[in-house]
């Protein structure tokens, strides 16, 4: 993980920096004498290169790799006040600075209020950051205040990156730093949004849900006669679903330059889904099916801007095996290779897609020969972050052929617990409605509708 420089207050003490100094003194992050030594000074003009023109100085600096569009937008937002210095007349510059100051007033008041709350709290000492949500909220204010008081960038400086602090101080581990978008943190697309190699992270939802469906597969069938059951089992339509899904990054920076602010990555993931007949005491509550799904994934970041405010964030490829570990006639398995990509608009909307090709096997060993015609050959998923606590997800799968099959899934995730500032709660209420083929491997050629309600941990 990248080392981050300690907090330092700018010499030109704006109202935001003054409030920030009081807050840091209260929290014990800055000594009283250090705050006193930071006396207000007149704003300093940006240093001019001597001996050659500014244009020559700029040409002498190698061009930096551009930031991802989402990161660049954040960098522009927090340095908006610097644009005022380029206005032609004193009146225009003054009006610009006044407008920026009014926009920052709410932040100043919030920092001052949090400082006062921290000082009055009987459970918090002068040198102790309050735990939990209060600490997260204060850290978020500190980051925002420092970001808006960055000094003007000299003409000879290189382009800022996500990890230089220009968009705020990284007070959380990169892949958990909410300054970055969901896609950037999920796939660790930028140097500032990365976590250590071989650390364990979530992939799909890790969940426990109660399930009710319109039908249950008591006698599974297959296109291969050797994989068609001959005896029905008295399963119930109500059951529990358990899902475990984790991944780890095993390499980074394989094809992207070391100096680049973007990072490609190689991952290994493992998912397991089980349907448990928990409510069926008559047959001793067995597991009706369990699917195992290991896969390898390569992700390459992109920084392309698209129309209507969308950004193309990554492309990738993978190989995946899925099987249910059963013996004939209930055995099911297949192998696929796939291509994938992802797009986002701000951090509100995300669209990802995958298309896959099944790896062929001999007819004698193929226990689900027509699976692609049912489960499909591709999928599109759209995510809407309605607000910090609520997320809606829709997924469509299709066979990309003449068969009118596939599936649709709609999900609502509601965060439980505190999610203020730069922190968030990973525990979510998870409601899901599925209709179509392939809810599990044993149901690959059986259409059914499933409603589930439960709890999940998506991001950790």
């Amino acid at each position: 993980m990248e080392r981050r420089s300690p907090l330092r207050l700018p010499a030109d003490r704006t109202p935001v920096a003054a409030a920030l100094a009081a807050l840091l003194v209260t929290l014990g992050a800055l000594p009283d004498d250090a705050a006193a030594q930071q006396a207000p000074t007149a704003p300093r003009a940006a240093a001019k290169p001597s001996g050659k023109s500014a244009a020559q100085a700029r040409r002498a600096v190698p061009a930096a790799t551009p930031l991802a569009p989402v990161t660049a937008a954040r960098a522009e937002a927090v340095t908006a006040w610097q644009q005022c210095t380029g206005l032609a007349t004193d009146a225009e510059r003054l009006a610009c600075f006044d407008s920026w100051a009014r926009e920052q007033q709410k932040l100043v008041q919030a920092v001052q209020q949090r400082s006062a709350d921290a000082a009055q709290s009987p459970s918090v000492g002068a040198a102790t950051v309050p735990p939990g949500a209060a600490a997260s909220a204060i850290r978020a204010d500190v980051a925002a205040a420092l970001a808006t008081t960055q000094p003007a960038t000299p003409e000879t400086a290189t382009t800022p990156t996500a990890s230089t602090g220009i968009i705020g101080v990284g007070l959380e581990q990169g892949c958990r730093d909410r300054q970055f978008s969901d896609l950037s943190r999920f796939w660790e697309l930028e140097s500032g949004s990365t976590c250590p190699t071989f650390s364990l992270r979530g992939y799909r939802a890790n969940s426990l849900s109660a399930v009710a469906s319109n039908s249950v597969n008591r006698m599974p069938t297959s296109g291969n006669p050797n994989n068609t059951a001959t005896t029905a089992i008295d399963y119930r339509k109500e059951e529990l679903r358990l899902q475990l899904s984790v991944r780890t990054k095993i390499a980074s920076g394989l094809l992207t330059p070391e100096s680049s602010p973007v990072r490609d990555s190689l991952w290994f993931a493992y998912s397991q889904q089980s349907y448990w007949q928990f409510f069926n005491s008559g047959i001793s509550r067995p597991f009706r099916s369990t699917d195992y799904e290991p896969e390898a994934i390569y992700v390459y970041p992109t920084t392309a801007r698209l129309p209507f405010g969308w950004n193309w964030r990554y492309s990738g490829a993978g190989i995946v095996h899925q099987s249910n570990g059963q013996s004939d006639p209930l055995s099911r398995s297949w192998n696929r290779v796939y291509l994938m990509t992802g797009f986002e608009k701000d951090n509100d909307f995300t669209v990802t897609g995958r298309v896959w090709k099944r790896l062929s096997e001999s007819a004698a060993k193929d226990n689900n020969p027509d699976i692609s015609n049912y489960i499909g050959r591709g999928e599109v998923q759209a995510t809407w972050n309605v607000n910090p606590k609520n997320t809606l997800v829709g997924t469509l799968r299709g066979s990309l052929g003449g068969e009118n099959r596939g599936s649709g899934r709609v999900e609502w995730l509601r965060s439980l617990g505190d999610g203020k500032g730069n922190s968030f709660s990973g525990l979510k209420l998870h409601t899901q409605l599925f209709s179509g083929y392939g809810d599990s491997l044993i149901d690959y050629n059986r259409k059914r509708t499933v409603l589930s309600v439960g709890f999940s941990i998506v991001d950790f």
Side-chain angles (χ1 to χ4, degrees):
M1 186 175 66
E2 294 181 309
R3 297 176 61 89
R4 304 191 188 262
S5 57
L7 298 179
R8 295 181 180 176
L9 292 177
D12 52 333
R13 296 289 294 279
T14 65
V16 176
L20 177 60
L23 172 61
L24 293 177
V25 169
T26 303
L27 299 179
L30 185 71
D32 293 311
D33 54 351
Q37 291 171 7
Q38 303 241 354
T41 59
R44 295 174 295 177
K48 300 288 185 181
S50 58
K52 54 184 176 180
S53 68
Q56 290 173 328
R58 285 194 296 272
R59 284 196 297 269
V61 179
T65 303
L67 293 173
V70 175
T71 305
R74 285 168 169 76
E76 292 172 2
V78 300
T79 56
W81 64 272
Q82 295 182 12
Q83 300 175 9
C84 301
T85 60
L87 298 178
T89 66
D90 291 342
E92 290 176 335
R93 287 194 295 273
L94 179 59
C96 179
F97 278 114
D98 285 345
S99 176
W100 177 84
R102 284 193 298 269
E103 293 176 356
Q104 302 303 306
Q105 189 58 39
K106 290 184 179 180
L107 173 62
V108 174
Q109 294 171 351
V111 172
Q112 291 173 335
Q113 183 61 46
R114 295 254 166 77
S115 175
D117 293 344
Q120 294 173 4
S121 175
S123 60
V124 178
T128 304
V129 177
S136 300
I138 291 175
R139 287 198 303 271
D141 289 340
V142 170
L146 285 177
T148 54
T149 55
Q150 293 288 334
T153 304
E155 290 181 292
T156 57
T158 58
T159 302
T161 69
S163 57
T164 59
I166 193 68
I167 63 169
V169 179
L171 299 176
E172 302 285 350
Q173 194 176 36
C175 63
R176 295 172 177 82
D177 193 334
R178 303 296 281 206
Q179 296 178 99
F180 299 92
S181 69
D182 289 347
L183 282 186
S184 179
R185 293 187 303 102
F186 189 85
W187 289 118
E188 303 185 12
L189 300 176
E190 299 165 89
S191 59
S193 63
T194 61
C195 277
T197 304
F198 296 113
S199 60
L200 197 63
R201 297 196 59 194
Y203 183 32
R204 301 188 181 103
N206 291 268
S207 60
L208 172 63
S209 303
V211 169
S213 63
N214 67 334
S215 67
V216 65
N217 202 350
R218 296 185 174 94
M219 189 182 296
T221 63
S222 169
N224 187 337
N226 296 327
N227 295 100
T228 296
T230 58
T231 303
I233 301 178
D234 191 21
Y235 291 131
R236 292 187 57 173
K237 298 177 184 178
E238 303 79 25
E239 50 193 346
L240 293 182
R241 183 176 60 221
L242 297 85
Q243 180 167 287
L244 169 69
S245 186
V246 295
R247 64 195 163 113
T248 186
K249 183 177 62 179
I250 58 179
S252 180
L254 298 174
L255 299 179
T256 50
E258 185 177 354
S259 59
S260 172
V262 295
R263 292 286 185 271
D264 65 339
S265 52
L266 181 65
W267 299 78
F268 175 79
Y270 175 78
S271 301
Q272 179 177 315
Q273 177 184 268
S274 298
Y275 275 103
W276 182 16
Q277 286 278 297
F278 179 79
F279 307 103
N280 198 342
S281 60
I283 56 173
S284 300
R285 311 179 198 275
F287 281 86
R288 181 173 65 86
S289 71
T290 298
D291 298 334
Y292 310 92
E293 191 172 0
E295 61 186 297
I297 312 161
Y298 173 75
V299 180
Y300 192 89
T302 56
T303 58
R305 294 181 182 271
L306 302 175
F308 308 108
W310 285 86
N311 301 301
W312 184 18
R313 296 310 313 276
Y314 71 86
S315 296
I319 181 169
V320 54
H321 166 81
Q322 188 179 26
S323 62
N324 64 357
Q326 297 268 30
S327 57
D328 288 341
L330 301 181
S331 176
R332 302 287 186 271
S333 67
W334 65 324
N335 301 298
R336 293 172 287 166
V337 292
Y338 62 82
L339 299 175
M340 66 178 188
T341 191
F343 309 86
E344 67 183 359
K345 183 177 182 180
D346 300 322
N347 197 38
D348 298 326
F349 300 97
T350 300
V351 175
T352 61
R354 292 200 307 173
V355 292
W356 54 79
K357 169 68 176 175
R358 185 187 180 185
L359 301 180
S360 61
E361 52 187 301
S362 66
K365 294 182 179 180
D366 191 349
N367 42 41
N368 31 245
D370 49 356
I371 189 171
S372 294
N373 293 333
Y374 287 94
I375 289 183
R377 297 178 177 87
E379 71 176 17
V380 175
Q381 183 177 92
T383 302
W384 177 23
N385 291 321
V386 182
N387 53 47
K389 283 187 172 291
N390 294 280
T391 300
L392 294 176
V393 184
T395 306
L396 290 176
R397 280 186 171 184
S399 57
L400 304 181
E403 303 86 355
N404 186 21
R405 295 168 182 157
S407 63
R409 190 189 309 267
V410 178
E411 301 170 83
W412 169 45
L413 295 95
R414 165 78 178 183
S415 294
L416 303 176
D418 190 21
K420 295 180 181 178
N422 199 35
S423 69
F424 59 97
S425 172
L427 180 63
K428 299 178 183 292
L429 174 67
H430 196 162
T431 303
Q432 180 181 129
L433 178 64
F434 171 91
S435 183
Y437 297 89
D439 188 43
S440 66
L441 266 182
I442 205 69
D443 296 321
Y444 84 91
N445 58 355
R446 182 186 183 93
K447 184 176 182 179
R448 70 180 197 140
T449 300
V450 181
L451 174 65
S452 63
V453 179
F455 300 95
S456 67
I457 299 177
V458 180
D459 195 357
F460 66 85

